[in-house]
Amino acid sequence: MIAALVSDGPTLGPAIWPGYRPDSIPMLVRFGEDGALLFGWLGTPPAGFEASAIPGALHRAGRDPSAANTSIELDYRAVAQFAAGSLDSAALRGLAAHEAFHAFQRTAARDGRRFGQGENAFLVTQYPVFDPDNDAGFFLELALLRDALLAPGREGAARFAREYVAARERRHRRLEARLAEFEQQAELNEGLAEYALVRARYADPADGAKRLAERLVELPSQIERSIRLRYYVTGAASAFLLDRLAGPEWKVALVRENRTLQDALAEATDFRSAEQELLARAGSRHRPEELAERAREGIDRLRSSRRAVTDSLLAQPGLRLVLAFGDRWTGLCGIDPQNLLPAGEGRFLHTRWVHLCSGDRIEGELTTGSVEDRQAGTWTAVIGPESAVTVRSAGERVRPGVEPVRLERVELSSPLATLRFAAARISRSSGELRIELP
């Protein structure tokens, strides 16, 4: 099964999704008490694995503690993991393609982009599973999605798909925004992986679409199952429908335009054509290109203004405090939102006050302007005259020098700062007090 998927990978993978190559993704197959086999691993074997009698596979002995079919990270590489169980070769081929697609999604994820981000699975605890109105709306969507999948012609499929999008958007207006987003992200995450499974398992896409239509009919009777499992089916069905309505180009556009599957169906069926007409009419009167240029000029002025405020905050007379927290952000227990200004490139200006906290790692307040730099991993403020700043360790006053020294139970006080640390490395030179947090 693995060999067949690897053999087909160079052609099957890109046909499923641009850039997807299951033959290039390591696969960890678990066999319960018999340990696990790792296929497709290049280079030094991960800890616990050794050569096996099976060509191209590494073996890990003993009972495998992992339970889930999922993608994992092994030695900083995305790996598809699944259990062999009693599945037949076609089912295993599909499962392998599903989990390999998750590994592909992990490597394709980018900040600010929906594709590859996954959903907030904790929201299953807040989903309204006992709301009959929400379920009735969802069951209508299932029926319409099935109608679209089975419609004999493209026009019929597009008509039912438009009705599906209308029903979905009406239900989502009643649902909390974060729960509607949870559904959409689950479809992008699990739905697209399930789409890869069905495409890999059924050589004829028509057979795959027919099986998905059957599963859409089965869902209303499966109320005992996790709510999240619904979106495996609706997401895969939407993707099959998009193949039919828009051709393979929809996949590139979905990632590029940061769309949900719902958005992609709306685009493919001209669902929002009236909206586009209204926007075109508005644009003809108000010249969007001029508004865009005005916006760019305004943002350039804003960047310059924020740089000036940053320079002004840090140019005040007095001792400069630099808190270095590295990649472990300090945490916030209080801010003044009216006086918190984004400065770009991971910097934020707290122009009046901030309450820092992170367990016993740091606790206290800055009652002056400060600059938070999340990229550099620092927090900087001028905290008053050097003569007014005191540092104590375990209650005893200390005078840090140029060389950093590690201190326990640190307290810093000045007219503009009161901070406590469980431990820190502290140094002081050239008008700067530097505190490095472990």
Side-chain angles (χ1 to χ4, degrees):
M1 175 273 300
I2 296 288
L5 189 60
V6 168
S7 175
D8 295 345
T11 53
L12 176 67
I16 291 173
W17 198 271
Y20 173 47
R21 287 286 301 273
D23 54 305
S24 69
I25 296 170
M27 297 189 187
L28 179 63
V29 187
R30 299 182 292 105
F31 295 93
E33 299 295 335
D34 296 324
L37 290 173
L38 178 61
F39 294 87
W41 186 271
L42 301 178
T44 304
F49 286 87
E50 57 187 17
S52 76
I54 300 174
L58 300 170
H59 180 247
R60 182 170 65 192
R63 183 177 182 276
D64 196 285
S66 302
N69 294 325
T70 185
S71 69
I72 62 171
E73 191 173 273
L74 194 59
D75 283 3
Y76 305 103
R77 301 187 205 177
V79 173
Q81 171 183 275
F82 53 94
S86 59
L87 298 177
D88 61 31
S89 59
L92 278 173
R93 175 185 168 92
L95 180 59
H98 179 114
E99 302 306 344
F101 194 83
H102 277 317
F104 166 69
Q105 287 172 312
R106 287 170 71 114
T107 60
R110 299 290 183 272
D111 287 343
R113 195 164 73 182
R114 289 188 173 97
F115 184 83
Q117 289 298 331
E119 74 281 6
N120 180 359
F122 287 103
L123 288 175
V124 297
T125 65
Q126 298 173 42
Y127 195 89
V129 293
F130 297 107
D131 182 346
D133 290 336
N134 184 65
D135 261 18
F138 182 74
F139 296 162
L140 173 60
E141 294 163 29
L142 297 179
L144 294 170
L145 198 49
R146 177 181 178 275
D147 289 342
L149 274 179
L150 299 180
R154 187 190 182 283
E155 268 312 303
R159 176 167 64 87
F160 291 130
R162 280 192 292 271
E163 293 176 3
Y164 163 74
V165 174
R168 167 64 73 90
E169 295 198 349
R170 179 180 64 180
R171 183 173 63 85
H172 275 185
R173 283 193 291 271
R174 286 188 66 246
L175 204 57
E176 282 188 59
R178 58 182 181 154
L179 297 179
E181 182 182 12
F182 160 75
E183 291 191 350
Q184 294 168 339
Q185 285 298 127
E187 288 179 333
L188 286 174
N189 181 31
E190 295 293 357
L192 289 180
E194 193 71 0
Y195 166 75
L197 180 155
V198 178
R199 286 288 305 270
R201 184 170 183 178
Y202 296 95
D204 186 347
D207 292 337
K210 186 181 298 184
R211 177 57 189 138
L212 284 169
E214 293 169 356
R215 292 173 67 186
L216 290 168
V217 173
E218 295 163 1
L219 277 179
S221 64
Q222 297 173 344
I223 57 173
E224 307 89 354
R225 305 180 72 193
S226 166
I227 198 78
R228 186 169 170 267
L229 295 174
R230 294 177 168 185
Y231 310 111
Y232 286 61
V233 187
T234 57
S238 296
F240 264 80
L241 192 53
L242 282 161
D243 281 345
R244 183 177 178 188
L245 296 174
E249 294 79 12
W250 71 267
K251 298 166 185 177
V252 174
L254 179 135
V255 175
R256 184 186 63 240
E257 303 298 330
N258 207 23
R259 291 171 178 163
T260 64
L261 288 166
Q262 193 172 315
D263 292 333
L265 279 172
E267 178 70 20
T269 59
D270 293 327
F271 176 78
R272 299 195 174 98
S273 56
E275 173 188 333
Q276 295 301 321
E277 182 181 340
L278 290 169
L279 288 173
R281 197 182 307 164
S284 67
R285 297 198 311 274
H286 294 287
R287 299 179 182 270
E289 64 281 358
E290 293 182 6
L291 298 177
E293 180 60 29
R294 190 186 305 172
R296 283 191 291 270
E297 292 172 354
I299 288 173
D300 287 343
R301 289 196 302 272
L302 179 62
R303 289 184 191 279
S304 297
S305 171
R306 295 286 161 85
R307 280 196 295 268
V309 173
T310 301
D311 294 343
S312 174
L313 285 177
L314 301 183
Q316 299 176 81
L319 182 67
R320 178 182 293 196
L321 169 68
V322 178
L323 299 175
F325 52 86
D327 58 0
R328 292 182 61 197
W329 186 55
T330 58
L332 290 169
C333 279
I335 61 170
D336 181 348
Q338 295 292 88
N339 290 285
L340 193 164
L341 306 175
E345 299 177 334
R347 290 178 301 165
F348 298 86
L349 311 180
H350 300 262
T351 62
R352 191 187 69 84
W353 166 83
V354 68
H355 182 182
L356 304 177
C357 62
S358 181
D360 62 354
R361 186 167 176 248
I362 182 171
E363 166 66 33
E365 296 183 345
L366 297 172
T367 55
T368 184
S370 60
V371 179
E372 174 191 4
D373 190 328
R374 295 187 184 177
Q375 286 190 4
T378 60
W379 206 301
T380 309
V382 177
I383 58 173
E386 289 199 43
S387 59
V389 178
T390 61
V391 178
R392 298 181 185 276
S393 174
E396 298 293 326
R397 184 166 182 174
V398 295
R399 299 182 184 279
V402 175
E403 291 299 319
V405 59
R406 179 181 170 84
L407 301 173
E408 308 285 336
R409 294 164 52 197
V410 178
E411 297 180 1
L412 179 149
S413 61
S414 82
L416 301 173
T418 305
L419 298 167
R420 295 183 296 279
F421 314 90
R425 285 170 53 84
I426 302 180
S427 59
R428 186 168 178 170
S429 64
S430 303
E432 179 177 292
L433 179 66
R434 184 176 179 86
I435 299 180
E436 299 176 14
L437 305 185

